[in-house]
Every structure is written in C-alpha cells, then in structure tokens.
C-alpha cells in the first residue's frame, strides 16, 4: 500500500476552489489561486498568507471574469502569470507593488470578427497557462486551440495549434452537455520543442514546434499491455471514412484527457484518462 500523509496543512485562505498551486524558484514560497484571488505562502508558515491578486468586485453582480490558472516564472522569483476566463494572460512583477492588481504585461489576441458567435466568449476562456522551462515563452490552452506566446510580445501569439478544430461545428451540442466548460491542461517537454494537451475520446495531441508536425494518440484500456506502440489516430468530418479514421460523430465526449504531464528530462509522458493514469515512453 502506498499511503500519503499530510506533513503540513495550509488552511483557511480561500473561499473558492483552488485551481492552481505553483512553487517559486526561490524554494521558499509558493502561490495558490482560486477564482478571484491569488495568495502567496511561505513553505514554513501554515497559518497566514499574503494576498497578491484580488479581482473580487465590491458588488458580485459586477463580476466579469475569473482567474483560471496561475504559475510562477521558472527562474525569476518575483514574476508570475495568471490567466482569465476572458482570454487574457497577465504577467505581474511583485517588485512593483505588494498587491499586484496592476499587471506589467497583458497578453491577448484580438478576436477575428468573422469567427464571432454566441460561443466566442466561452471558447476563448483560457483553461491553463504554462511557462516554458527556459522562461522565454509560455503556452495557453483555450477550448479549441493551444497558443505559444513570447514574453517579449504581448499583441499576439507566435504560434497557434488547433487541437480539435472539427468540434467547431459541434459547439451547440457541446454547450448543451456542458463539455464546452471542460478545462484542458497543457504542458511542455523538457527542451521546450514540443507541447502536449488532451482532447475527447481519450485522445491527446502532441505538437512538434520545429517540424510543425503533430500527432493524435489514444490512451485506452485496450493498450494496457506494456511495449504496445501507439498508432496515430485521425478524425474525419464528412464524406468517406478511411479504414483507420474515426468519424467526429462517433467521438465519446465522456472520455476526456484533461490532465497531462511531461518528464522534465526524458521523453516520458503521463496522461490521465477519466480514472486511469497512463505513462508512455518514447520508443528506443
């Protein structure tokens, strides 16, 4: 039996569900974020924390956005980023003021008016943000895509990868079954050359930033035998379906990979598919 027992309990600092925890590079502090606040803790002090971001309006009826994710910079201990349901990412510097209600940088892509629809605001909400290991870039995941940002350029992402563009035509039914509110995570590989995120039908996507190639793989119970090589999967949207393809109408939206992680040095990934954890290793 593997048993986890708490060493310390940091209590009573959040009113809402905690969506992010990030340890600082100073190895002394960490942040925890909920929908409206981000708190800074010292690892040795469990009874109190400092509130460093507070977006709670005095009148809750005026609430227009919530915090969706937050993370410290990998090397600069005074810098952190947080994303919002409005599709913006804010970079804050704790040296400028104790309460970071004013950001140093704001990353936001202007909306394409031709794609405007009833679902625009929902699908532009950022579900996860991760800074690269080098600290120069970051990735953000919204409902249909994953974007790479250069921290020196706020106006638009330098790369955009569609994750499951074939779902754009199905947003109405995804709204009705609440899937449109699913929060997918994303992650970098150790060298910042590839990124990974999850999708439906227990699919997960890996994008190679150098070659611009991408692959869709499936984490299913049928491949539990060790040494099984994963076969790339393809989704077809209409017309004739090829032998290895799966129709977009046959996707199982109850099977989804929301959590993904990449080993910091090796080509080993972990994906959580519903109540199963899969660990895959690159073929030698």
């Amino acid at each position: 039996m593997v048993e986890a027992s708490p060493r310390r309990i940091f209590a009573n600092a959040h009113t809402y569900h905690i969506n992010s925890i990030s340890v600082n590079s100073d190895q002394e502090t960490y942040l925890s974020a909920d929908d409206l606040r981000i708190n800074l803790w010292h690892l040795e002090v469990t009874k109190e924390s400092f509130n460093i971001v507070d977006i709670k309006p005095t009148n809750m009826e005026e609430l227009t956005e919530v915090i969706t994710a937050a993370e410290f910079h990998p090397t600069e201990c005074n810098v952190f980023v947080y994303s919002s349901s409005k599709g913006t990412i804010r970079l804050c510097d704790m040296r400028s003021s104790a309460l970071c209600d004013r950001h140093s940088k704001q990353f936001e892509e202007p909306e394409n008016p031709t794609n405007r629809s009833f679902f625009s605001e929902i699908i532009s909400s950022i579900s996860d943000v991760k800074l690269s290991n080098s600290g120069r870039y970051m990735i953000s995941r919204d409902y249909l895509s994953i974007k790479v940002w250069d921290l020196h350029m706020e106006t638009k992402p330098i790369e955009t990868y569609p994750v499951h563009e074939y779902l754009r035509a199905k947003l109405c039914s995804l709204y009705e079954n609440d899937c449109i509110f699913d929060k997918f995570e994303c992650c970098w590989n150790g060298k910042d050359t590839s990124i990974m995120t999850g999708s439906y039908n227990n699919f997960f996507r890996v994008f190679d930033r150098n070659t611009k190639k991408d692959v869709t793989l499936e984490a299913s119970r049928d491949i539990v035998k060790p040494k099984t090589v994963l076969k790339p999967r393809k989704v077809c949207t209409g017309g004739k379906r090829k032998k290895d393809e799966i129709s977009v109408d046959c996707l199982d939206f109850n099977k989804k990979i929301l959590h993904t992680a990449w080993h910091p040095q090796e080509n080993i990934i972990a994906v959580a598919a519903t109540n199963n954890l899969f660990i895959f290793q690159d073929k030698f």
Side-chain angles (χ1 to χ4, degrees):
M1 283 285 285
V2 176
E3 197 177 287
S5 56
R7 305 276 292 276
R8 295 186 192 116
I9 294 175
F10 299 83
N12 302 330
H14 287 280
T15 317
Y16 306 96
H17 290 297
I18 294 169
N19 58 43
S20 303
I21 285 179
S22 176
V23 179
N24 198 345
S25 58
D26 64 11
Q27 301 295 311
E28 286 184 4
T29 54
Y30 73 92
L31 65 76
S32 60
D34 66 24
D35 284 359
L36 300 178
R37 292 193 172 113
I38 301 176
N39 292 329
L40 179 70
W41 300 82
H42 193 284
L43 286 163
E44 302 296 330
V45 182
T46 58
K47 296 270 193 308
E48 62 178 354
S49 62
F50 292 101
N51 179 229
I52 50 173
V53 172
D54 188 347
I55 64 164
K56 186 176 182 178
T58 42
N59 179 4
M60 280 299 272
E61 287 177 5
E62 293 167 6
L63 183 69
T64 57
E65 63 178 331
V66 293
I67 297 164
T68 54
E71 192 186 40
F72 265 122
H73 191 280
T75 53
E76 295 176 36
C77 61
N78 48 287
V79 172
F80 67 94
V81 295
Y82 70 91
S83 57
S84 93
S85 57
K86 272 197 160 175
T88 60
I89 304 162
R90 297 182 179 105
L91 182 140
C92 301
D93 190 333
M94 292 190 292
R95 290 175 301 189
S96 54
S97 69
L99 184 66
C100 299
D101 47 2
R102 290 205 183 103
H103 47 270
S104 307
K105 293 183 178 182
Q106 179 163 305
F107 301 85
E108 187 173 16
E109 185 172 32
E111 191 193 8
N112 183 347
T114 55
N115 285 342
R116 180 99 188 125
S117 75
F118 170 75
F119 305 108
S120 296
E121 279 189 26
I122 304 171
I123 63 172
S124 67
S125 172
I126 293 171
S127 56
D128 196 21
V129 60
K130 291 273 167 52
L131 285 146
S132 66
N133 298 286
S134 68
R136 172 72 191 265
Y137 306 99
M138 65 182 170
I139 46 175
S140 66
R141 172 71 209 263
D142 56 45
Y143 190 65
L144 292 177
S145 66
I146 189 166
K147 293 169 181 167
V148 181
W149 302 80
D150 186 325
L151 291 192
H152 297 170
M153 190 167 88
E154 298 165 63
T155 47
K156 60 178 186 195
I158 54 168
E159 295 157 33
T160 300
Y161 301 96
V163 176
H164 37 216
E165 190 60 30
Y166 46 80
L167 294 183
R168 196 177 281 277
K170 294 204 162 301
L171 292 177
C172 206
S173 54
L174 290 161
Y175 179 75
E176 285 166 6
N177 65 13
D178 278 351
C179 284
I180 202 165
F181 302 106
D182 285 335
K183 295 188 167 9
F184 291 96
E185 291 177 3
C186 53
C187 64
W188 294 89
N189 70 338
K191 293 177 179 167
D192 298 341
T193 54
S194 295
I195 50 182
M196 174 173 61
T197 191
S199 179
Y200 293 103
N201 210 67
N202 282 353
F203 287 170
F204 61 97
R205 309 266 282 129
V206 181
F207 303 91
D208 187 311
R209 296 181 58 216
N210 294 333
T211 64
K212 299 296 182 232
K213 286 183 178 165
D214 60 84
V215 64
T216 302
L217 301 167
E218 183 182 4
S220 75
R221 289 298 291 271
D222 311 335
I223 49 136
V224 285
K225 292 190 193 110
K227 303 267 163 65
T228 308
V229 178
L230 295 182
K231 290 194 182 98
R233 301 299 308 263
K234 277 205 164 64
V235 178
C236 80
T237 47
K240 275 194 169 177
R241 186 163 63 88
K242 292 179 188 158
K243 192 179 114 194
D244 293 335
E245 291 183 334
I246 180 170
S247 164
V248 67
D249 298 317
C250 299
L251 295 174
D252 188 341
F253 293 109
N254 293 317
K255 294 178 176 173
K256 51 192 101 169
I257 291 179
L258 301 177
H259 311 287
T260 56
W262 208 310
H263 192 285
Q265 278 99 33
E266 296 173 53
N267 245 348
I268 299 172
I269 58 170
V271 296
T274 320
N275 56 349
N276 300 301
L277 176 67
F278 294 90
I279 294 179
F280 300 111
Q281 183 162 18
D282 202 10
K283 200 170 55 171
F284 290 114

